[in-house]
Amino acid sequence: MTRKRTAILISGRGSNMRSLIEAASAPSYPAEIVLVLSNRPEAEGLGVAKELGIATAAVDHKIHAGRENFEASLQVLLELHRVELICLAGFMRLLTPSFVRLWEGRMINIHPALLPAYRGLHTHERALADGAKIHGCTVHFVVPAMDEGPVIAQAAVAIVDGDTPETLARRVLAEEHILYPAALAAVASGRIKLVGDRVVREDPEQDPHFLPGGS
Ligand code: GAR
């Protein structure tokens, strides 16, 4: 088995990044994390990745003139490390349609809501304010529109009385840490593919599109 050379793009804490790196430390895992990139040099996750022995680089969007320049720098590093797949993990920069098209079917993202509900920021606050009873997280292929794109898998989290954005975020994050490594494994092994604008799964039993979640 050739493991897919995978980069993780982060902007902050990097807890999803850590869960992917830990899953990929098993030799049988179909993806190998070869690079962690951050648009914020001060991102906490960069230090975590270094400690875990992964190559890291900061590509500071603030010192690049425009998104195209910033993405050209990202692309140079991705090519240098012969990256085949990209995981966005709390990467908070919008990517241009041309960069997204370059990586079509090879770039995935995790979002802390059950898409298409609650795209964008403050998903937990908004779900609570709406009185939603079920919330969760989604891994999807990246398309030019933010937090859209064909869904690979989702995990659900029940909202309980007394939940605050913090308690809910904690339970959703625990599910993210299970869902993302499972989704990356399915994509890296080729069991789940983007065909046109549809997700095709070889074996729905091995790769269910919905995890009821543990909470
Ligand atoms: C995660 O909850 C992730 O789903 C979210 O940012 C957090 C990053 O945490 N991503 C988005 O909101 C993208 N739209 P982490 O840095 O600890 O993985």
Side-chain angles (χ1 to χ4, degrees), residues 25-49:
S25 69
S28 60
Y29 191 80
E32 180 189 359
I33 309 304
V34 296
L35 180 65
V36 169
L37 291 176
S38 172
N39 64 305
R40 291 179 56 239
E42 67 279 19
E44 208 184 308
L46 283 177
V48 176

Side-chain angles (χ1 to χ4, degrees), residues 12-17 89-90 92 109-112 147 173 176:
R13 172 178 64 180
S15 71
N16 276 290
M17 173 207 75
M92 303 314 248
N109 179 46
I110 189 151
H111 182 72
D147 298 332
L173 195 63
E176 293 184 41

Side-chain angles (χ1 to χ4, degrees), residues 10-18 45 88-92 109-113 119-124 137-138 140 146-147 169 172-173 176-177 180:
I10 62 168
S11 298
R13 172 178 64 180
S15 71
N16 276 290
M17 173 207 75
R18 180 193 276 277
L88 306 181
F91 182 70
M92 303 314 248
N109 179 46
I110 189 151
H111 182 72
R119 295 179 176 123
L121 298 174
H122 311 300
T123 56
H124 310 307
C137 51
T138 303
H140 63 94
M146 185 188 69
D147 298 332
V172 172
L173 195 63
E176 293 184 41
H177 295 164
Y180 211 179

Side-chain angles (χ1 to χ4, degrees), residues 48-83:
V48 176
K50 265 187 219 149
E51 266 170 37
L52 294 170
I54 308 293
T56 62
V59 180
D60 189 348
H61 64 272
K62 291 200 205 97
I63 61 168
H64 285 79
R67 287 187 197 276
E68 282 81 5
N69 263 306
F70 165 68
E71 290 171 0
S73 295
L74 288 182
Q75 186 63 21
V76 165
L77 288 165
L78 293 166
E79 284 176 13
L80 194 70
H81 289 263
R82 292 177 286 116
V83 168

Side-chain angles (χ1 to χ4, degrees), residues 1-5 23-33 84 188:
M1 177 193 66
T2 58
R3 306 174 74 203
K4 281 274 181 325
R5 296 178 64 82
S25 69
S28 60
Y29 191 80
E32 180 189 359
I33 309 304
E84 300 168 284

Side-chain angles (χ1 to χ4, degrees), residues 6-215:
T6 302
I8 306 175
L9 270 54
I10 62 168
S11 298
R13 172 178 64 180
S15 71
N16 276 290
M17 173 207 75
R18 180 193 276 277
S19 73
L20 294 173
I21 293 173
E22 284 173 355
S25 69
S28 60
Y29 191 80
E32 180 189 359
I33 309 304
V34 296
L35 180 65
V36 169
L37 291 176
S38 172
N39 64 305
R40 291 179 56 239
E42 67 279 19
E44 208 184 308
L46 283 177
V48 176
K50 265 187 219 149
E51 266 170 37
L52 294 170
I54 308 293
T56 62
V59 180
D60 189 348
H61 64 272
K62 291 200 205 97
I63 61 168
H64 285 79
R67 287 187 197 276
E68 282 81 5
N69 263 306
F70 165 68
E71 290 171 0
S73 295
L74 288 182
Q75 186 63 21
V76 165
L77 288 165
L78 293 166
E79 284 176 13
L80 194 70
H81 289 263
R82 292 177 286 116
V83 168
E84 300 168 284
L85 278 178
I86 297 178
C87 292
L88 306 181
F91 182 70
M92 303 314 248
R93 294 295 296 168
L94 281 180
L95 295 165
T96 65
S98 58
F99 185 85
V100 171
R101 267 185 226 109
L102 197 61
W103 287 93
E104 193 177 4
R106 301 182 297 145
M107 179 158 61
I108 65 179
N109 179 46
I110 189 151
H111 182 72
L114 293 174
L115 293 173
Y118 307 116
R119 295 179 176 123
L121 298 174
H122 311 300
T123 56
H124 310 307
E125 286 86 337
R126 287 155 60 209
L128 286 172
D130 285 349
K133 302 296 174 226
I134 299 177
H135 190 45
C137 51
T138 303
V139 177
H140 63 94
F141 284 105
V142 176
V143 299
M146 185 188 69
D147 298 332
E148 289 190 29
V151 169
I152 295 166
Q154 295 187 311
V157 170
I159 293 180
V160 297
D161 289 349
D163 256 336
T164 64
E166 293 71 32
T167 59
L168 185 55
R170 214 172 300 134
R171 294 206 309 288
V172 172
L173 195 63
E175 296 302 325
E176 293 184 41
H177 295 164
I178 299 167
L179 189 70
Y180 211 179
L184 173 60
V187 172
S189 65
R191 298 194 306 266
I192 288 186
K193 285 192 190 84
L194 183 67
V195 178
D197 58 1
R198 315 275 317 165
V199 170
V200 175
R201 63 195 72 233
E202 209 169 75
D203 180 357
E205 270 180 36
Q206 187 173 5
D207 297 309
H209 55 232
F210 174 69
L211 302 180
S215 49

